[in-house]
Amino acid sequence: MSRRPVPNVLVTGTPGTGKSTTCIEVASRTELEHISIGELAQEGAFFDGYDDDLECPILDEDRVIDELEEKMGEGGKLIDYHSSGFFPERFFDAVFVLRADNSVLYDRLEQRGYCQRKLSNNIECEIFGTILEEARENYRQEIVYELHSNAPEDLERNVDLIVQWIGGWQQQS
């Protein structure tokens, strides 16, 4: 298989770690197209029910993959989602997992108005490193990067690192 001219990148992490903000900034500084899976699912109604306990819709992962399949083959996509396990490994050239300290994350999620169960569930995911572990289990180790996202200076550093990675990848093509 030939290499894409522009890489596909996944930015993942527990809700509240700054995925969307990071992706918006990276997209503004590169030629990658930012695709928020949450927005894509809303626009296409790619849901398979509703989780009453967590107060959120259940993503229809198969329909999301079907929607993305052709786009991902083109390259140049910057995907933003809190999970990575259902995406085929072939989709991505790099996976960046954003992490945040529990106290920082708690405040961010509380400001979003998360119910206590959803808030606790997400904090537990961060404590146990669930999203990072999922990425490491589903993708080659050399393409998974852990980045901390607690403060504005972390955001800028992470954006710079991802932009530099993209530039380096393209130079190798």
Side-chain angles (χ1 to χ4, degrees):
M1 184 170 94
S2 64
R3 187 171 156 142
R4 292 180 269 268
V6 183
N8 288 327
V9 174
L10 172 63
V11 177
T12 189
T14 304
T17 55
K19 297 175 300 298
S20 296
T21 304
T22 299
C23 286
I24 289 166
E25 290 298 314
V26 169
S28 75
R29 293 172 50 183
T30 65
E31 59 185 285
L32 272 63
E33 174 190 359
H34 174 212
I35 299 174
S36 164
I37 296 302
E39 291 176 15
L40 179 76
Q42 284 283 31
E43 292 166 7
F46 300 146
F47 298 114
D48 190 26
Y50 190 83
D51 185 322
D52 291 322
D53 289 338
L54 297 177
E55 299 178 359
C56 63
I58 299 167
L59 186 70
D60 185 334
E61 297 170 351
D62 291 334
R63 289 180 63 202
V64 169
I65 296 303
D66 290 345
E67 179 70 17
L68 290 175
E69 190 73 50
E70 189 174 321
K71 294 176 185 177
M72 298 304 286
E74 300 165 359
K77 305 302 181 256
L78 178 62
I79 303 297
D80 158 7
Y81 194 57
H82 64 264
S83 179
S84 64
F86 72 93
F87 295 110
E89 184 177 8
R90 70 181 181 280
F91 272 16
F92 301 110
D93 302 295
V95 177
F96 293 92
V97 181
L98 300 183
R99 307 285 312 273
D101 291 341
N102 298 329
S103 60
V104 171
L105 188 60
Y106 187 94
D107 291 345
R108 290 175 184 172
L109 297 178
E110 192 174 49
Q111 287 175 350
R112 290 183 179 187
Y114 277 30
C115 68
Q116 189 58 47
R117 180 163 171 80
K118 189 173 184 177
L119 199 150
S120 296
N121 183 302
N122 283 298
I123 294 296
E124 284 179 21
C125 281
E126 192 64 14
I127 289 170
F128 293 116
T130 304
I131 307 300
L132 179 60
E133 183 179 321
E134 178 184 57
R136 288 180 173 159
E137 287 176 358
N138 289 290
Y139 300 94
R140 297 182 325 278
Q141 296 299 303
E142 62 270 15
I143 73 165
V144 177
Y145 303 89
E146 178 181 5
L147 303 175
H148 294 276
S149 180
N150 294 307
E153 55 271 14
D154 294 332
L155 169 66
E156 191 57 41
R157 186 188 69 246
N158 292 341
V159 169
D160 287 344
L161 286 169
I162 296 169
V163 168
Q164 288 171 7
W165 183 92
I166 292 165
W169 191 93
Q170 289 176 301
Q171 288 177 352
Q172 293 174 7
S173 291

